[in-house]
Structures are given as structure tokens and as C-alpha cells.
Amino acid sequence: MFIHPKIFSKFPELVAYVGTRDILMRPKQFHSESPELQKNVQALEETFWVKKSFFLAQCQSAEVREITEENLEEMIFADACFTTLQHISLNVVTADCVPIVLYDRAKKIIWVVHAGWRGSSEKILKKTLESIIEKYACNMNDIILFIGPSICWKCYEVGSEVAELFPESIIQSWEKYFLDLRAENLLQALASWILRENIEISNECTFELPETYFSYRREKLKANFICGIGRK
């Protein structure tokens, strides 16, 4: 099943979606001949009428890449990417980390971000926005952003060594530290001058919804759900 962010509903040229756990994805399979993967990718493309579904080789980094006709078939190690190409979708997979999808309605740029604690600590969303602004001179008022389902702070206890990386996004209770990754990435978006009215944040916690989403912290399985965006 696919869930569609409401904030993109007024853009008929877009397809934006979050896949629930019945659409299984595993990162290491993305460039393999796995029958299960091929079936799910084909279903994705047929459902949303895109010619190509692109997946990054995610590596818990702050690396940002542009996807072009020249590298569309390559294995690209990064955790954020953007494109001006039509008829393809960009996708990330997560199982507690924060998936983020964005659209520049004026420049017709789509992009996706996989923001785990490592990438978030290195300001991956902010770096992604800076990369696009530098190349395409985007107006931040034109950028629409969706922060997808992820683990909520109440379920995300971290050690002090991680907590010290997030002075504005840590909730401390006695001697325990809880990280709010959604809040951290919202802060990065607002610091980059994206309008709050152009941001939608899912309140669904992957850890608390076992029937809907995979959660690595809950299940210890290397299984993921998909979040993506495409332009027709």
C-alpha cells in the first residue's frame, strides 16, 4: 500500500509516496536480479507511470549527487540526490531514519534525502539545499518539503556521544537522552529559509506502528519501506 503526502496533492505533475511494509525493499538488492525486488520495482513503476525508479546505494553519509541521463544506470553511493529529469522517480528506503522528499515548483527539481543520525549530524538536508541553490539559483519560497514516517523521540534513546552532536534536538530525561530526528531536520529546513507553511511532517512513528512500517530498532531486520517522488 502507498500513502501520499497531502502537501504534493496540488501538483498533478508529481507522484509522491510512502510505501508500507507490505512493499518490501532491502538496500543491498537494489542493483541485483532479485525476483522479489524486480517485482516490487515493476509494481512501483506501473502504479505511478514512471519509466525508471532510481535508488541510491545509501551509506549513512552526507553525500549529495545529481542524477542525470549519464549516471542514471550507475550505482551511486550517497544519501541524497536530485534531478530535473522527467518520467523517473527518486527513492530512499528507511526503517527508522527520516525520509525526506522535496520539490521546487518553479525549477521543476525533485529530490530525496535519507537522514539518519549520522547524516543529520553532518547537516545533510542543509547541504542538499545548498547544492541545488548554488547550481539552479532556486527561490526557497518555491520549495515544498515532506518529512516522512520515522522513529519518534520517545522511542529513540541514544548515548551521550550521539546526544552531544544535537544540542537543539535532544530531550533529556534523568540520565537518558532521546533524539528527535524530525525536529533536527525541520530546524535544518527552516535555517535554509524554507517556509514553514511549505513543510509537511508525518507524525507516524515507525517503532510504534509494527503493522504499517519496518523498524530496525524494534525488529533488528534489514528490511525497509520506500519513500519517493517522481515527475511525470
Side-chain angles (χ1 to χ4, degrees), residues 209-221:
L209 295 171
E211 300 300 318
T212 307
Y213 300 111
F214 291 107
S215 166
Y216 182 78
R217 180 159 287 214
R218 183 186 62 239
E219 300 170 85
K220 307 303 181 187
L221 296 174

Side-chain angles (χ1 to χ4, degrees), residues 64-193:
V64 183
R65 294 287 301 276
E66 181 171 10
I67 306 305
T68 65
E69 293 284 1
E70 288 70 32
N71 65 11
L72 187 56
E73 300 298 329
E74 296 178 10
M75 181 182 291
I76 295 179
F77 290 88
D79 284 88
C81 64
F82 62 96
T83 191
T84 58
L85 298 177
Q86 286 184 265
H87 310 302
I88 73 164
S89 66
L90 302 180
N91 303 274
V92 290
V93 296
T94 57
D96 282 334
C97 297
V98 180
I100 304 171
V101 295
L102 306 95
Y103 180 52
D104 185 319
R105 57 191 171 189
K107 303 287 186 176
K108 308 301 181 186
I109 304 167
I110 58 172
W111 63 100
V112 291
V113 180
H114 163 252
W117 73 260
R118 292 180 180 85
S120 296
S121 71
E122 296 182 47
K123 309 296 184 186
I124 186 171
L125 178 57
K126 186 172 183 290
K127 288 181 179 178
T128 305
L129 291 165
E130 289 171 350
S131 297
I132 299 171
I133 293 167
E134 181 179 353
K135 181 166 184 178
Y136 290 102
C138 298
N139 184 329
M140 302 308 289
N141 293 347
D142 291 323
I143 294 177
I144 313 299
L145 184 151
F146 171 67
I147 296 176
S150 61
I151 193 167
C152 69
W153 71 264
K154 293 179 292 183
C155 300
Y156 196 22
E157 183 180 351
V158 297
S160 58
E161 72 283 358
V162 173
E164 66 184 15
L165 301 173
F166 298 95
E168 297 180 277
S169 305
I170 284 291
I171 295 91
Q172 186 172 358
S173 178
W174 297 93
E175 295 183 356
K176 294 184 177 181
Y177 300 93
F178 298 88
L179 174 56
D180 192 337
L181 276 180
R182 296 174 192 165
E184 171 62 29
N185 283 281
L186 174 61
L187 288 172
Q188 290 184 35
L190 296 175
S192 300
W193 302 103

